[in-house]
Amino acid sequence: MNTQSKVAIITGAGSGLGQATALKLSDNGVSVVVVDISETAGQETVSMIEAKGGTALFIAADVSQAPQVEQFVEQTVATFGRIDMFFNNAGISGPGLKLADHTIEQFDQIININLRGAFYGMKYVIPEMLKTGGGSIVNTASTAGVVGVQTVGPYAASKHGIIGLTRTAAIEYGKDHIRVNAIAPGTIETPMVAEFGRQNPETMKATVDSIPSGRLGRPEEIANLVAFLLGDEAPYINGAVYSIDGAVTAQ
Ligand code: NAD
């Protein structure tokens, strides 16, 4: 293992935004811990990184299970000795339904993965960053964390919650040299969105029609922003929520 480079943990790194960011950070010389609930997806990202000569380690975990989050943090420290960067990103969208039509089970599942998962990640990563003098965290919120979005009420609640956690952690740990920011992507072409579009074609068409930039975003565009926020060129960016949505929330 390369112990000279910076070390990043990325959750949901087997696909979409997490995978694109894993590749970007690896290109920047960062050793990447690829966390995903899917072994196949996670191993694919590791193979892509290793094929380019980078260093990556896959750890299977469900971010909604606190002991599994604690375990991947421990294993990262045991392997690499430190955590410099954390992209707290794993999440699910859930079904497209009006608020009262969601079941309680659907609400719980989305909150458990998206919001509890994000909390567990910071709960276990921050103490390790404190031990080594600091670090940088980016949490994945969403346009639905900034404004209401029809048919995704529980998802919107989880992403608004992530912004609350982000701002709180930023002001609590700023003097400890830990920066915590959130990204609020619009609709980005990932497998999650493709699946949502298959199940909700009319909603997806309306979504694309409403984007001022005239197209969906690309995972690589998110990866560029996340790598910047996690890296050394953003030392005074803390507690911020970055919209990256083709001007959707500017309307
Ligand atoms: P994706 O489905 O392409 O990738 C998500 C990855 O997370 C998958 O590899 C999946 O196996 C993994 N995952 C799912 N549940 C998990 C769990 N419980 N524990 C660990 N891993 C789990 O999705 P994506 O579009 O890349 O989304 C990533 C994040 O970005 C999510 O938090 C999502 O809400 C957010 N987001 C996406 C968009 C978008 O348009 N794609 C927009 C705004 C926010």
Side-chain angles (χ1 to χ4, degrees), residues 11-18 35-38 41 61-64 89-93 113-114 140-143 155 159 184-193:
T11 63
S15 176
L17 310 186
V35 174
D36 207 285
I37 199 169
S38 162
D62 177 348
V63 298
S64 70
N89 165 72
I92 60 168
S93 61
I113 295 173
N114 293 7
T140 301
S142 166
T143 299
Y155 180 81
K159 296 301 188 180
T187 309
I188 315 299
E189 284 180 298
T190 68
M192 183 181 94
V193 165

Side-chain angles (χ1 to χ4, degrees), residues 1 24 198 211 232:
M1 292 293 177
K24 175 75 182 176
R198 270 189 293 277
I211 300 170
D232 292 339

Side-chain angles (χ1 to χ4, degrees), residues 152-166:
V152 293
Y155 180 81
S158 73
K159 296 301 188 180
H160 275 73
I162 283 174
I163 290 175
L165 293 176
T166 300

